[in-house]
Amino acid sequence: MGKKIFSGVQPTGNLHLGNYLGAIKNFVELSNDQENECVFCVVDLHAITVKQDPQVLRNNIRETVATFIASGIDPKKNIIFNQSKVSAHSEAAWIFSCVARMGWLNRMTQFKEKAGKDKEKASIGLFSYPVLMAADILLYDATHVPVGDDQKQHLELCRDIGQKFNNDFEVENFFKIPEPLIQKQFSRIMSLKDGTKKMSKSELSDLSRINLTDLKEDIVNKIKKAKTDTLPMPNTNEELDNRPEAKNLIGIYSSVSNVNLDETIAKFSGKNFSEFKEDLSQVLVDKIIPISNEIKKLKKDNIFLDKILKDGCDKANEIASKKMKKIHEIVGF
Ligand code: AQP
């Protein structure tokens, strides 16, 4: 039997190699299986948990759609839409915020990381972000959620919310409890400047990430400048322990070229980093440049992108509003 897939990406600009290898590449593979039903959401309500410029946000929503399509998601066979246009998401999030417990949310590490030292000044939305994420997923009866490793904890919270709702209202199996789909290897791509930090859109230095809209010379330059260590290329996997930058770059090579880590290590053992970096740049250019060119082409056609969103929103609304109607009956509205 096919899977029901739901996943989302925030339209916060600078979509990068981490988003691609950790999530979007997996979306494409899942959407290529005819048996699966896939819903891919541009989570614009999540984006406003931190301040956004309205004009930039509008542009980033379209760019995220363009990235999905350029990466290989067929909008005719899969639902692509933006969250703010399906009001059931916000409504379900409120109901779930009455189901979720403060203690559960207090344990979320992403909030602690994103709010930093001054959490009194963080928005309430940033704190309750995973509750909205639970609404996104549970409204579509998703069975599987492909995400990067950083979203694992939020997905566990989503499962707890679904389970508690089913228990509290004595509606066994009303919400399907979704399984995370996190790749076993390379599920967390790290910054090119610091192998202990996640590659991220909001990192100030553009040299820390490969953007999906980068030019060939950007990619070559960023890989050339990527941090490494003074040791030679490793001969075994174990030698990568305590070498976060080398581990990350070798992992990126393996993931982009679809070969396992041992094969990559064997291929470059005994060589120097500069040789490896040349090959790494080449596989990245071969993978990213066609996507980057296609994004730029699609971005010139706002009418096309808006039509995809409109069609996707109509389909998503149909599914989500039916589920919402049942939620109203169960809750007693
Ligand atoms: N570095 C990463 N490695 C692997 N997967 C990643 N993802 C994000 N960064 C990495 C996965 O990409 C999907 C979409 O992420 P998102 O845009 O919704 O949110 P995010 O995780 O907050 O992305 P960023 O880049 O880290 O943004 P900022 O800088 O705002 O914090 C998710 O499945 C995520 O796991």
Side-chain angles (χ1 to χ4, degrees), residues 16-154:
H16 53 72
L17 188 69
N19 298 126
Y20 180 76
L21 296 178
I24 301 173
K25 184 176 170 228
N26 217 354
F27 297 178
V28 176
E29 278 161 22
L30 290 161
S31 73
N32 283 338
D33 183 337
Q34 305 292 335
E35 301 245 301
N36 294 339
E37 289 170 41
C38 301
V39 181
F40 299 117
C41 187
V42 180
V43 288
D44 49 5
L45 293 172
H46 278 108
I48 63 161
T49 53
V50 294
K51 196 166 173 6
Q52 301 291 332
D53 175 297
Q55 194 49 44
V56 175
L57 178 62
R58 208 167 284 128
N59 187 42
N60 283 337
I61 291 170
R62 291 185 178 124
E63 183 165 309
T64 309
V65 180
T67 305
F68 284 166
I69 300 171
S71 303
I73 297 172
D74 182 348
K76 292 199 194 81
K77 297 197 188 123
N78 304 281
I79 300 178
I80 297 176
F81 76 107
N82 58 326
Q83 191 187 25
S84 59
K85 298 294 179 198
V86 179
S87 57
H89 290 246
S90 315
E91 203 181 329
W94 176 256
I95 294 169
F96 289 158
S97 64
C98 302
V99 174
R101 305 289 95 180
M102 285 295 288
W104 299 358
L105 283 153
N106 274 331
R107 286 195 282 275
M108 296 297 114
T109 53
Q110 193 180 80
F111 174 73
K112 290 179 196 154
E113 280 160 21
K114 291 204 168 174
K117 288 196 192 80
D118 206 357
K119 67 178 200 274
E120 293 295 312
K121 286 204 176 133
S123 72
I124 293 167
L126 192 66
F127 181 70
S128 60
Y129 181 112
V131 177
L132 177 59
M133 181 167 154
D136 302 338
I137 296 164
L138 296 174
L139 276 174
Y140 296 86
D141 290 328
T143 57
H144 294 83
V145 183
V147 281
D149 179 66
D150 59 319
Q151 292 296 329
K152 194 171 168 204
Q153 196 186 30
H154 289 169

Side-chain angles (χ1 to χ4, degrees), residues 7-24 27 43 46 50 110 114 129 146-152 186-191 197-203 209:
S7 198
V9 172
Q10 294 188 73
T12 37
N14 298 335
L15 279 170
H16 53 72
L17 188 69
N19 298 126
Y20 180 76
L21 296 178
I24 301 173
F27 297 178
V43 288
H46 278 108
V50 294
Q110 193 180 80
K114 291 204 168 174
Y129 181 112
V147 281
D149 179 66
D150 59 319
Q151 292 296 329
K152 194 171 168 204
F186 328 124
S187 57
R188 188 181 287 246
I189 303 298
M190 311 310 271
S191 158
K197 274 167 71 183
K198 181 180 96 139
M199 186 177 284
S200 146
K201 298 174 190 141
S202 55
E203 169 60 48
R209 64 180 164 261

